[in-house]
Structure formats: structure tokens, C-alpha cells
Amino acid sequence: MSAELHGDYFWMLDLVATDQVVRRRALARHQALVAAEGEALHRWNGLWAVERTETPTQPRLVAEMDQASADQLWHHKRTIHGPVRAFLDSAPDDDVTEALWAPFAVLYLRWEADYPTEWGAPESRMWSPWATKEMLLLRFERGGLPEGVRPEIAELILSALGRPYRCKDWMYARLVRHLDPSFLDRVAALTAADDPLVRLRAQFVLHAAESRERRITRASWQRWLSASG
């Protein structure tokens, strides 16, 4: 997919702008593209219902379904989900493609961190945003962190440690092992936080970083809590 992506994607950076007017403008643009993608999919589904097959026999249906499919893909690629999918589809050893699209993958995660209501709004996506978040964190864990996005990933980890839990946040702990060991000093600073839950999370991450050979799972946190009393 990455080779087929065309257009200006840098406007998407405004989805996390602190200026509300700028951010709202970018959000409206993104949501308009999502709406157009949904309309194209609805049109394709209506055409499919005529013969209930993806390979209809009527030439008119074939042409209209092809057009609806092309319209959906065109709009999808121009939402933030286009570059996100390009990153997910890139090979971990494809440094050029990865460097091109990894910043947009991080942007997607930062959007969720900074403006979760706008990120998770039904108007902002076609499919589950939590599934996309999970796939991105898994991709970063398995493929490693491109050097250019490591500072932002570090900030996202600290943000996840310090806020009320959100779906899939536990996966951020897996990324600590890909960062410079000096990052653990910033995590250690959170062990003195006022919030006891933040202190415990920081302690858990430090514990997990010491056991690099042990894979962190959803149950790791509960087991550590039980073992540590």
C-alpha cells in the first residue's frame, strides 16, 4: 500500500495541535474523509445485495461496485488510517518505508493520548480504534522503534504510566526495552509520585526492564502485584 499513497499528509499533524481552531479544522477534514469512505462502503454493500456476490454477472453492477470500492479506498488512504496501514504493512527491515510512515503511527498514538474523545469518536474511524492501537504497539514491539520516533514513544510511555488506565495501555510496558537504558531514570522518578497507582506502575516497569528475557503479558501486572504484596 505504501507505494500507492499519494498526497499531502502533513495536515494530520494538526490533529494534536494545541490551538483549538487549528485542531478542529484538521478534525473536520479527517471526519469528512471518513464519512465519504463510509458512504462509498454503504454504496458497495447496496450493490452487493442485488446479487449477493462480489462477482456479479450484470456489467453495470460490476462497474458500479468497482467504482464504489475505488472511492472507499481513495478516501481511506487520505485519512490518518492510510499512513498507519502503510506503516503496519511495511517490513521491519524496510528502513525507508518505515521511516516515512512511523511518524504517522506515533501521531495516531499521540492523538489518542492527548485528545481521546476526538480520537475515539465514531465520526473519526470506520473500525475499532483500540484494535489499531494494539496492532501499532505490537508492531513497535516486534519490529523495534525507528530512531526518529523514540523520543515521542518515551513520552507516550510516561503519559500512559501517569494517567487513568485506557484499553491496551499495558502494551506500552513492552516498548521500554527498545529505549536507551537512561530512560529508566525518568521512570524511576515516578516512583516518588503522589498517586500510589503511578508509583506502583513505575515500579512494575522497572521490574520488567530487569527481566528482559520474560515476556510481558496482560497478566504480568497482576502477578507482580500479588508477588510484591
Side-chain angles (χ1 to χ4, degrees):
M1 172 184 278
S2 58
E4 300 174 1
L5 284 173
H6 300 287
D8 171 24
Y9 292 89
F10 289 99
W11 64 268
M12 296 177 185
L13 299 175
D14 290 339
L15 289 169
V16 295
T18 55
D19 185 314
Q20 183 169 328
V21 173
V22 173
R23 193 177 75 254
R24 291 290 184 183
R25 183 167 59 239
L27 180 64
R29 179 174 178 177
H30 174 72
Q31 291 182 342
L33 289 165
V34 171
E37 178 189 358
E39 290 171 2
L41 177 60
H42 179 74
R43 191 165 74 250
W44 189 94
N45 287 335
L47 294 166
W48 176 88
V50 175
E51 292 191 8
R52 295 188 177 277
T53 175
E54 294 185 14
T55 56
T57 58
Q58 301 178 44
R60 178 189 63 81
L61 280 179
V62 173
E64 291 185 3
M65 288 178 70
D66 285 348
Q67 184 60 57
S69 181
D71 288 347
Q72 180 192 356
L73 186 60
W74 190 92
H75 288 96
H76 174 82
K77 287 182 176 180
R78 282 158 179 79
T79 69
I80 195 172
H81 305 292
V84 163
R85 173 48 59 184
F87 172 73
L88 289 171
D89 288 345
S90 65
D93 57 352
D94 184 351
D95 294 338
V96 174
T97 302
E98 189 176 67
L100 182 62
W101 301 120
F104 292 94
V106 174
L107 172 64
Y108 185 83
L109 296 173
R110 186 182 164 199
W111 188 22
E112 186 258 342
D114 293 354
Y115 303 101
T117 301
E118 297 172 8
W119 172 85
E123 298 83 5
S124 296
R125 37 66 175 203
M126 290 280 291
W127 320 111
S128 167
W130 305 115
T132 302
K133 177 181 177 180
E134 179 179 23
M135 287 188 291
L136 287 174
L137 293 174
L138 187 61
R139 171 66 169 76
F140 278 127
E141 179 207 359
R142 293 179 174 176
L145 302 177
E147 188 152 353
V149 302
R150 288 177 188 174
E152 290 183 87
I153 291 292
E155 295 302 326
L156 287 168
I157 293 172
L158 294 174
S159 174
L161 290 175
R163 70 187 178 213
Y165 180 80
R166 296 179 192 165
C167 185
K168 308 302 179 183
D169 271 357
W170 67 271
M171 297 182 71
Y172 276 112
R174 291 178 169 181
L175 305 186
V176 173
R177 298 169 179 173
H178 291 294
L179 294 172
D180 188 278
S182 63
F183 173 68
L184 295 178
D185 293 338
R186 301 182 67 187
V187 176
L190 294 178
T191 62
D194 293 335
D195 188 332
L197 183 56
V198 174
R199 294 200 299 267
L200 284 171
R201 288 173 179 166
Q203 292 167 20
F204 168 73
V205 168
L206 294 174
H207 164 77
E210 292 176 355
S211 309
R212 290 181 173 266
E213 72 284 352
R214 184 176 300 171
R215 180 173 173 78
I216 300 171
T217 68
R218 291 180 62 182
S220 299
W221 163 252
Q222 292 296 334
R223 285 200 301 266
W224 178 80
L225 282 178
S226 298
S228 63

